[in-house]
Amino acid sequence: MKKILSLVLIIFLVGIIISIAIAQRNNNEVIIKSIIVEGNNHLDSIDYMKFANLIGSNYKDLSLRIIKDRIEKHPYVKYADVKYMGGFKVYIKIYEKNFESILIDKGEQYILTEELELLPFLSGLRDINLPIISNISRKDSLKILTQLRNNHDILTASKILSGLKFTSRELYNELSVIDMNYGKDIVVYFKSIDYPVIIGRENEIKKLVYYYSFWENLKGNEINNLINYIDLRYSGHIYLGIQDSLLVGEKKL
């Protein structure tokens, strides 16, 4: 008799636990009728919604966790906060990865983040004012969502960008292209001048810091119309290529 009573008690307690669990789950379920996306800069919110398969009105099989997981799988998203706001609305706050440059390799365009992660250049990408890195030397094929810190040219170009940003935000904003020239002399181009600046290899930041003081004197100067190129490869001098002649600056690096 005691065994029967014990068995009945156990079954009764298990039934209570299951009922509480079901009730708790029902209380936690949210009815979703609309989703709001904010924090997006790289792409329109609808592009993120399409990627996460959140377009449409049938959200009955979705949970906040599922929505968060889908959004965070997007290559441009660092992480996302997903909250239920009441009134059948879900709010998604996207935190995007920080873009540093555009990489052009064998005719294909990619995005490089500040962490040197390689991202696809997706259609719908909003106008972005980023410097271009081109003609890198590499042995291995490029793989999306991998970091390129082991590539010497990528690392050097990133150091140039950081050095310019630290030296002069104005000059950094003028930067257009860093041509890595497949491991040979590095050449940079600026938006406001029509000629290249050859910086070669080694001491790239030091050379550009020196060029900055020189550039300050060149701004708005008519001599810009006569210059074919500027050469910083030779320590201690800045060479100006002017038509068929050279002018040599004597300031030391």
Side-chain angles (χ1 to χ4, degrees):
M1 186 68 178
K2 289 183 179 180
K3 291 183 178 180
I4 294 175
L5 289 175
S6 297
L7 181 61
V8 171
L9 180 61
I10 291 172
I11 293 173
F12 177 72
L13 291 174
V14 169
I16 291 176
I17 292 172
I18 292 174
S19 298
I20 292 174
I22 293 174
Q24 184 66 34
R25 187 186 68 179
N26 289 337
N27 288 335
N28 289 336
E29 287 179 350
V30 295
I31 299 174
I32 303 172
K33 292 185 179 180
S34 64
I35 297 176
I36 301 170
V37 176
E38 293 186 2
N40 55 296
N41 294 304
H42 302 326
L43 294 172
D44 192 84
S45 59
I46 197 72
D47 292 316
Y48 286 116
M49 295 275 285
K50 287 178 179 177
F51 177 90
N53 195 23
L54 298 176
I55 300 297
S57 57
N58 186 11
Y59 300 133
K60 67 177 183 179
D61 295 326
L62 294 179
S63 66
L64 300 185
R65 170 53 60 184
I66 290 174
I67 293 173
K68 178 179 174 68
D69 288 344
R70 288 186 185 180
I71 287 290
E72 289 183 339
K73 283 183 170 64
H74 195 285
Y76 291 175
V77 175
K78 190 172 184 179
Y79 65 94
D81 289 333
V82 180
K83 298 179 181 179
Y84 182 67
M85 305 300 291
F88 312 117
K89 294 181 181 180
V90 168
Y91 171 77
I92 303 174
K93 173 69 173 181
I94 289 177
Y95 296 86
E96 296 172 316
K97 297 174 182 178
N98 295 320
F99 293 176
E100 181 179 69
S101 60
I102 297 171
L103 174 65
I104 298 180
D105 181 76
K106 299 186 184 303
E108 296 292 329
Q109 293 187 95
Y110 304 91
I111 297 293
L112 275 175
T113 69
E114 291 182 346
E115 289 74 31
L116 300 186
E117 183 183 14
L118 187 71
L119 304 180
F121 196 100
L122 299 177
S123 61
L125 187 63
R126 291 175 173 175
D127 291 336
I128 50 175
N129 185 23
L130 293 175
I132 294 171
I133 300 172
S134 66
N135 300 327
I136 62 168
S137 177
R138 61 178 176 83
K139 296 179 180 179
D140 302 321
S141 59
L142 298 178
K143 295 181 181 180
I144 296 296
L145 299 181
T146 60
Q147 289 191 339
L148 302 182
R149 293 186 179 277
N150 292 329
N151 183 287
H152 180 72
D153 273 2
I154 292 292
L155 196 58
T156 300
S158 180
K159 289 179 179 178
I160 290 172
L161 290 173
S162 299
L164 277 179
K165 189 183 296 186
F166 179 78
T167 302
S168 168
R169 192 74 191 194
E170 183 182 6
L171 187 60
Y172 171 80
N173 291 333
E174 284 290 321
L175 183 63
S176 177
V177 178
I178 303 174
D179 184 352
M180 300 307 295
N181 203 16
Y182 300 110
K184 299 178 182 178
D185 288 330
I186 300 170
V187 181
V188 296
Y189 297 84
F190 296 94
K191 299 171 187 174
S192 61
I193 57 178
D194 296 328
Y195 50 82
V197 178
I198 307 168
I199 64 174
R201 294 277 173 169
E202 299 183 356
N203 299 317
E204 297 92 355
I205 306 303
K206 185 177 181 181
K207 292 174 183 177
L208 285 172
V209 168
Y210 180 52
Y211 171 72
Y212 166 66
S213 62
F214 187 74
W215 174 76
E216 284 279 278
N217 295 319
L218 280 182
K219 286 190 298 183
N221 197 307
E222 291 185 1
I223 194 175
N224 280 299
N225 299 323
L226 303 176
I227 296 176
N228 291 329
Y229 64 88
I230 288 181
D231 195 338
L232 304 175
R233 289 177 294 176
Y234 306 100
S235 179
H237 298 85
I238 288 183
Y239 288 83
L240 306 183
I242 300 180
Q243 297 179 359
D244 296 327
S245 62
L246 288 175
L247 294 184
V248 181
E250 294 297 335
K251 292 184 179 179
K252 297 294 183 182
L253 291 175

